[in-house]
Amino acid sequence: MTENPNDQEKALAKLRERELDDQAKADTKRAQLEQAEAHDLAKARAIEQAQHRFRAIKGTRDILPPNSAVWNWFEDTAREVFEAYNFGEIRLPIFEQTELFARSIGLQADAINKEMYSFEDRGSDVIVKRSDGGLIVIEVKESLRLRDNEMRAQLEDLLARVERSSGLAAMAEPVTLRPEATASVARAYIEHNMQALPGNTKLYYMGPMFRRERPQKGRYRQFYQIGAEVLGQSDAPAIDAEVLEMLLVFFNRAGLTRTTLCINSIGDKNCRPQYVELLRQELQRVKDQLGADSQRRIETNPLRVLDSKVPSEQPIIEKLPRISDHLCDDCRAHFAKLKDELNLRGIQYEENWRLVRGLDYYTRTTFEVIAEGLGSQNAVCGGGRYDGLVELLGGPPTKGIGFAIGTDRSILSIEETGNAPAPDGLSVYVAWMGLASYPTAVWITRKLRDAGLTVELPPEEMKFKKSLGLADKLGARYALILGEDEVASRTFTLKRLADAEQKKLTEAELLEYLESERRR
Ligand code: ATP
Ligand code: MG
C-alpha cells in the first residue's frame, strides 16, 4: 500500500505543529518559572531590605534626651564663663582645604594624617595649579553646570586650553573634615584681617571634630570640642595664666571638680631645636630598648617619645635629658612668670616635663587637664602656645595661645562623679476630657508655656484615668485636670503627682502658684 503523499505531508505538518506547541508550552513554562524565581528573588530582597536596620557609623553616636540637656547645659556654661572673660564666639566651617591642616598640623604628625577624613570635592571649584606651586582658583558655579551643559562644555574646553598652554594641571580640590579647629581659627584670623582689630583677639568655638581613630570609651571618630584662642601681638605670661584661670573656672562651674592641671614649657625656636637634637642623640643610644612606635618617632618627632605610655619604656624615658634644663633665658623667664601668675590667681598645678605637644608650631607653655573616672582616656583638655602658627599659614607675625576641651569625655566624667544637673523635666500635664474643655486646654497650655513652664498637652481626648497614668509615666510634677465641671466653674484642678494633693484654682492663682514653684 502506497501512502498518499498528501497524507504524509499532513502528518508531518501535524508533527511540526505539535513540536512547536510543545516548545511554546516549554517556553511559557520557563518564563513562568523565571518570573516566579524573579518574584521570589525580589521578595527575598524586599524582606532583606526590610530587615536591614541602619546604624550610626562606627565611632559616631547619637546624643539623646535627657542626656542632650546635659550637653546643652555644659555648652551654655562655657559660653557664660568665656563671655565673662570677653571672648566672642566664632562659628567655623566643618571642612577646610586639606592643605590648611597639612601645613599647620605638619606632615610629620603621622597620626593626624592617617586619621584625617579627606575627599576630593568635585563640586564647584576647580583649582589650576601653577608649576611654581602658587594657586590660581577658577570657580565654576555648580548652578551653571547643571543648567547649561553647553556652557559647562565651553568652560571645560577653556580649562583644558589653559592647561595645555601653561602646563598647569587642573584638579578637584582636596578638602578635609576638621580634626581640630585651631588651624581654622588662625585661617579666619588672617582672612578677616583681625590683626587690625584693637587689643588681642579672643575667640571661642564649639562643635564636632573628626579623626579616624580606633573607637573606644572616650574616643570617637566624631567627637566634640570646646576651645578658646587668644591671638595678637603680646605673649605676656598673664595671657596664658588668664586662659588657664578661665578654663578652670569653667570646669569648676560645670561640676568637673576632680581635675589636675599639668603644665610645661617646651621652649621656642631658639632653644627647642638644640634640645630636640640632644634628645634624638640620647634616644639613638637607647634605641634598641624602645618599641617600634618610639623607634620611628626618634626620626619623625622625638618629643613625642616622651608621651609614650608603654610600661617598659618608662624607666628609660625617665633618664632622658629634660627640656627644663635646656630652656633659653627668655623661655625660662616666661615659664617662671607664668607660675607666679598662676600662684597669684590661686591656681594649683603640677609640672610635668614630659608633657609635650607633638606639633612644630607649639612654643613655650603647654598644658593638659586630667579628670577622674575616665580610665586611660583621661585627658579632658589640651592646649598651649603656638606663636608661629599664623605666620606658617601666610599671615603676619602673631602670638597665640589656646586650648581644646573634649566635650564627650568631660561629660562622661561629670556624669560618673554624679555632678550632672538633674533635668528640669515636665512640669505640667494637661489632662483634659470632654470636647467642651478642649479650647480652654489649648489656651491655658499656651499661657503656661509662655510663662516658661514645660507643658504637655495630649493631642487626643483620653479618659482621666489613662491621662493621669501617662502623666505619671512621663514624670510630670503636676497634672492640670480640666473637665466639664472646671470649664463650667472657670477653675482648674491642679494635682501634685508626688503626693496626690489637689487644689482648685482660678487662672490667676494657677499662674501665680506654678510660677512660684518654678522659681523654687
Ligand atoms: P589624646 O592623647 O587623648 O588622643 P590629643 O592630644 O589627640 O588627645 P587634642 O588634639 O589635644 O587631643 O584634643 C584636646 C582634647 O580633645 C583631648 O584632651 C580629648 O579630651 C579630646 N579628644 C581628642 N581626640 C578625641 C577623640 N577621638 N574622641 C573624644 N575626644 C577626643
Ligand atoms: Mg589623639
Side-chain angles (χ1 to χ4, degrees), residues 45 91 104 157 201 325 347 418 503:
R45 260 198 215 127
R91 298 202 180 206
S104 60
D157 177 54
T201 301
D325 299 327
I347 295 172
K503 282 186 187 359

Side-chain angles (χ1 to χ4, degrees), residues 375-399:
S376 54
Q377 320 302 325
N378 63 353
V380 286
C381 177
R385 273 211 160 268
Y386 47 84
D387 293 340
L389 177 62
V390 171
E391 229 175 326
L392 185 73
L393 297 176
T398 307
K399 311 283 202 255

Side-chain angles (χ1 to χ4, degrees), residues 211 213 218-220 223 225 357 379-382 404 406 409:
R211 297 182 194 174
E213 306 197 71
R219 191 176 289 285
Y220 311 97
F223 62 100
Q225 284 187 337
R357 313 243 73 209
V380 286
C381 177
R409 289 184 201 173

